[in-house]
Amino acid sequence: MQTNKMTLPDNTDLLSQIRFDPAEGKIWLSENRMLLMHSAVMGLLRKDLITTLGEQRTRAFLMRLGYQSGWIDAELVQGIRPDLTTKEAYFVGPQLHTIEGMVRAEPLQLDFDVAAGTFECTVDWHDSYEAALHVQEFGLSENPICWTLLGYASGYTTFYMQQRILFKEVMCSGCGDPHCRIVGKPIDEWEDHVELENMLLPDPVADELFALRQQLSELHQHTDPHRRRQHAETGAMMAVGQSPVFRDILQLLKKAADSKATVLLQGETGVGKEVMARELHAHSQRADKAFVAVNCACIPQELIEAELFGVNKGAFTGANESRAGRFERAHLGTIFLDEVVELSPKAQAALLRVLQEGELERVGGDRAIAVDVRVVAASNENLKQAVDDGRFRADLFYRLNVFTVEVPPLRERREDIALFVDHFVRKYNDLYNKNTLGVSDLAMQHLMHYDWPGNIRELENMMERGVILTDNNHRIELHAFPAPLGEASIGKPSDKVATEVSRAGYLRTADANAPDYKALLGDHFDLRRHEEGIISAALEKTSGNISRAARLLGLTRSQLNYRLKSR
């Protein structure tokens, strides 16, 4: 086959996306965390997989591993080279494959049309790490063995072309050829396309384990009808978490669940007190009865009694018919009174009667109505302090304070943040019919270090925003979140590091021609003004072309756009 090597675009824009943060022990490629590890470790992994699973199953496993890696790298294309030709932008894949130390890629031929769905590509691979490792452990192979690399090329191109593209090796140094050569085309153009597609499907072992897990889940649902009914009727998110403090709270709630004791949940706004109340109800003997939630702060003071305890016809102007209140509707079930400190004095007295006597009177009524209701109250401020301030009845406080649970803020249960992120991404993907792929590693790092003054509710709102702003099949990046999150501290470099490391994680070696930064640091130094000046100069130099200006500054287009919007 006579071919000519193709000229690749300059890779400076890709190299600028690599950042080392030795103080934090992290390496970044754009917003994705990378690993620097010995290739020999991958060799041992390959050897163990082949020994235990066999060559065919290992081939499929490693192809899927590479496929996901290529897919993730493909997400960088639009952000780094949006103004280059489609072909030049595609070359991010082969260049990243080389930069990441996998193989030296030399494209020989590339013809494709995304709209028409046509694709044909030939690439020479030199110094494949995978071929070298295989030969070292097993000697020359009869069949091509660069499985992870093939998966990478296939995943990257599939993402880029928006249809399934598969690469095959037609030459392999692992088989004794001077170098490797791969050919890619739409999967249905390969004669063995069925076999190739099966390689990318989940392993049968994984399927069997998943089926077993489903059976166990169904069995659990069958033996726990209360929880099944609650999920079906409310659709509420059950408690999410794995942190020790969260598990302790769940244990407390489960101990209180089967009693009739009133429970008081205290904690900051947005920590999930209603979710905890639902969890308590779900584990109680009342789980198949009503759960009624009331936010006392949202109901006008003059209407709170009628809303909670009901009203008789003619009790006041506008009461044209008698109706039951929330307590009657919660009979034999659970009522959740959020922000209970906002109850009016008369409503507090009526609630005290319900707790003491198990009965109530409707507004304008003249007879007692017996109710059997489990009361769960919540407050984002200290009720004891409200008693001391004269805003809450002391006798009611002591009736509510039978079993108190302090729900911690999100910043004290950081181990649960990743679980919440996953939950909310899935929730809003379903709501908006999207397919975002979670958050970038850098964004997750900021999520983990942010103090969350609005707690879980603030996190949910941020994730909804992130899903809305992120394109399908992309990860939510840091710039999709509001500025306070981007300003979260992620650790400062150590003074002992010999080279200068910026706060963002860039590793800079000493440069004798660099500006005298210390001389700039006077009493009136303004970092924002200097940054704006550099950005303005870059835009002026590129005649307002944001993509070219971003490359001059060593940024992606999206990162520069974020800075421009923040000015």
Side-chain angles (χ1 to χ4, degrees), residues 67-371:
Y67 190 94
Q68 293 301 319
S69 179
W71 184 280
I72 292 172
D73 274 359
E75 295 179 272
L76 297 173
V77 175
Q78 293 176 331
I80 294 179
R81 294 177 176 170
D83 60 333
L84 298 186
T85 67
T86 306
K87 181 175 290 188
E88 289 173 323
Y90 175 82
F91 284 140
V92 168
Q95 289 181 288
L96 278 178
H97 224 179
T98 299
I99 289 172
E100 292 170 359
M102 304 291 183
V103 69
R104 180 162 58 86
E106 290 185 348
L108 302 180
Q109 177 257 339
L110 175 62
D111 294 301
F112 68 93
D113 185 328
V114 176
T118 59
F119 182 88
E120 188 172 356
C121 179
T122 303
V123 180
D124 271 355
W125 280 344
H126 300 272
D127 302 320
S128 161
Y129 90 94
E130 199 164 14
L133 291 175
H134 190 93
V135 171
Q136 180 178 334
E137 293 292 342
F138 299 100
L140 291 177
S141 172
E142 294 182 1
N143 301 304
I145 44 76
C146 296
W147 305 320
T148 308
L149 302 183
L150 283 173
Y152 179 99
S154 301
Y156 177 90
T157 307
T158 294
F159 179 98
Y160 198 84
M161 286 295 298
Q162 301 170 31
Q163 66 162 313
R164 182 63 63 82
I165 304 293
L166 261 294
F167 280 80
K168 294 176 69 173
E169 276 186 288
V170 295
M171 295 170 55
C172 182
S173 59
C175 299
D177 293 316
H179 60 267
C180 304
R181 175 170 291 170
I182 61 171
V183 173
K185 53 187 178 181
I187 191 167
D188 56 8
E189 295 183 16
W190 292 108
E191 292 182 0
D192 56 346
H193 64 89
V194 174
E195 178 186 352
L196 292 173
E197 282 191 294
N198 288 336
M199 299 290 286
L200 298 177
L201 294 176
D203 191 283
V205 172
D207 286 343
E208 292 164 14
L209 292 174
F210 181 77
L212 179 60
R213 187 175 70 175
Q214 286 292 97
Q215 292 174 16
L216 290 174
S217 177
E218 291 170 5
L219 178 63
H220 173 70
Q221 292 291 324
H222 179 73
T223 57
D224 191 355
H226 298 333
R227 178 176 288 268
R228 184 177 69 249
R229 176 170 176 174
Q230 188 206 30
H231 274 288
E233 293 183 353
T234 69
M237 179 189 77
M238 299 308 293
V240 172
Q242 61 183 5
S243 61
V245 65
F246 171 78
R247 291 198 297 266
D248 290 345
I249 289 174
L250 282 190
Q251 287 302 314
L252 286 174
L253 293 177
K254 288 176 181 178
K255 289 179 180 179
D258 288 332
S259 71
K260 294 184 177 181
T262 300
V263 174
L264 175 61
L265 302 173
Q266 297 211 138
E268 297 177 9
T269 297
V271 294
K273 296 187 287 292
E274 182 174 342
V275 173
M276 295 296 182
R278 291 184 182 276
E279 190 74 14
L280 177 68
H281 176 73
H283 284 88
S284 73
Q285 296 178 356
R286 301 170 181 260
D288 59 341
K289 305 300 181 182
F291 177 91
V292 177
V294 183
N295 189 324
C296 302
C298 294
I299 303 173
Q301 292 273 318
E302 61 273 14
L303 298 178
I304 188 70
E305 288 179 82
E307 189 66 32
L308 291 179
F309 308 111
V311 60
N312 276 353
K313 181 178 179 180
F316 51 76
T317 302
N320 298 321
E321 59 182 16
S322 297
R323 61 181 174 85
R326 302 289 184 94
F327 269 88
E328 288 182 69
R329 282 180 252 168
H331 182 58
L332 299 180
T334 302
I335 190 167
F336 173 62
L337 301 177
D338 198 9
E339 306 302 346
V340 69
V341 71
E342 300 295 336
L343 289 177
S344 65
K346 289 184 66 177
Q348 290 182 36
L351 175 57
L352 181 62
R353 179 180 179 183
V354 172
L355 292 174
Q356 290 179 332
E357 309 296 337
E359 61 182 30
L360 57 82
E361 283 188 12
R362 292 179 178 177
V363 176
D366 56 5
R367 68 181 183 86
I369 300 175
V371 289

Side-chain angles (χ1 to χ4, degrees), residues 19-22 26 28 501-507:
R19 309 193 303 278
F20 292 83
D21 186 354
K26 294 181 175 67
W28 300 97
V501 181
S502 74
R503 182 176 181 274
Y506 291 89
L507 180 63

Side-chain angles (χ1 to χ4, degrees), residues 11-19 29-31 76-83 442 477-479 502 504-506 508 530-536 538-539 542 545-567:
N11 66 0
T12 303
D13 54 351
L14 299 179
L15 294 173
S16 70
Q17 301 304 309
I18 301 173
R19 309 193 303 278
L29 175 61
S30 186
E31 293 199 6
L76 297 173
V77 175
Q78 293 176 331
I80 294 179
R81 294 177 176 170
D83 60 333
L442 182 61
E477 296 188 345
L478 186 59
H479 62 79
S502 74
Y506 291 89
R508 297 190 176 96
H530 282 280
E531 181 180 278
E532 289 180 351
I534 293 171
I535 291 174
S536 297
L539 289 170
T542 59
N545 187 307
I546 294 177
S547 297
R548 288 171 55 202
R551 288 201 300 277
L552 279 178
L553 296 168
L555 302 172
T556 65
R557 180 187 174 93
S558 59
Q559 288 170 334
L560 179 54
N561 261 328
Y562 174 73
R563 285 167 168 78
L564 291 172
K565 291 175 183 178
S566 301
R567 293 168 71 178

Side-chain angles (χ1 to χ4, degrees), residues 283-477:
H283 284 88
S284 73
Q285 296 178 356
R286 301 170 181 260
D288 59 341
K289 305 300 181 182
F291 177 91
V292 177
V294 183
N295 189 324
C296 302
C298 294
I299 303 173
Q301 292 273 318
E302 61 273 14
L303 298 178
I304 188 70
E305 288 179 82
E307 189 66 32
L308 291 179
F309 308 111
V311 60
N312 276 353
K313 181 178 179 180
F316 51 76
T317 302
N320 298 321
E321 59 182 16
S322 297
R323 61 181 174 85
R326 302 289 184 94
F327 269 88
E328 288 182 69
R329 282 180 252 168
H331 182 58
L332 299 180
T334 302
I335 190 167
F336 173 62
L337 301 177
D338 198 9
E339 306 302 346
V340 69
V341 71
E342 300 295 336
L343 289 177
S344 65
K346 289 184 66 177
Q348 290 182 36
L351 175 57
L352 181 62
R353 179 180 179 183
V354 172
L355 292 174
Q356 290 179 332
E357 309 296 337
E359 61 182 30
L360 57 82
E361 283 188 12
R362 292 179 178 177
V363 176
D366 56 5
R367 68 181 183 86
I369 300 175
V371 289
D372 179 6
V373 178
R374 170 73 172 277
V375 175
V376 180
S379 176
N380 66 352
E381 61 176 290
N382 190 301
L383 279 188
K384 181 62 171 64
Q385 185 61 50
V387 171
D388 295 341
D389 295 341
R391 296 183 293 114
F392 201 77
R393 294 178 61 119
D395 49 0
L396 178 57
F397 167 70
Y398 292 120
R399 290 294 303 187
L400 293 175
N401 196 35
V402 176
F403 196 99
T404 300
V405 177
E406 294 287 341
V407 183
L410 186 56
R411 60 183 171 275
E412 293 180 9
R413 44 182 296 205
R414 296 185 185 275
E415 302 97 321
D416 299 332
I417 290 176
L419 295 178
F420 281 116
V421 168
D422 179 65
H423 172 82
F424 291 132
V425 167
R426 285 187 281 108
K427 173 181 177 178
Y428 289 107
N429 272 344
D430 291 342
L431 181 63
Y432 295 113
N433 195 27
K434 297 287 289 288
N435 185 36
T436 52
L437 305 178
V439 301
S440 71
D441 296 330
L442 182 61
M444 179 61 78
Q445 178 163 308
H446 280 260
L447 291 170
M448 294 296 293
H449 286 81
Y450 184 54
D451 275 343
W452 299 109
N455 292 292
I456 299 169
R457 187 176 297 124
E458 181 183 13
L459 173 59
E460 179 173 7
N461 292 339
M462 282 198 183
M463 296 316 302
E464 181 177 12
R465 170 193 171 103
V467 169
I468 292 172
L469 293 178
T470 302
D471 293 335
N472 282 327
N473 299 318
H474 284 70
R475 281 173 169 74
I476 302 171
E477 296 188 345

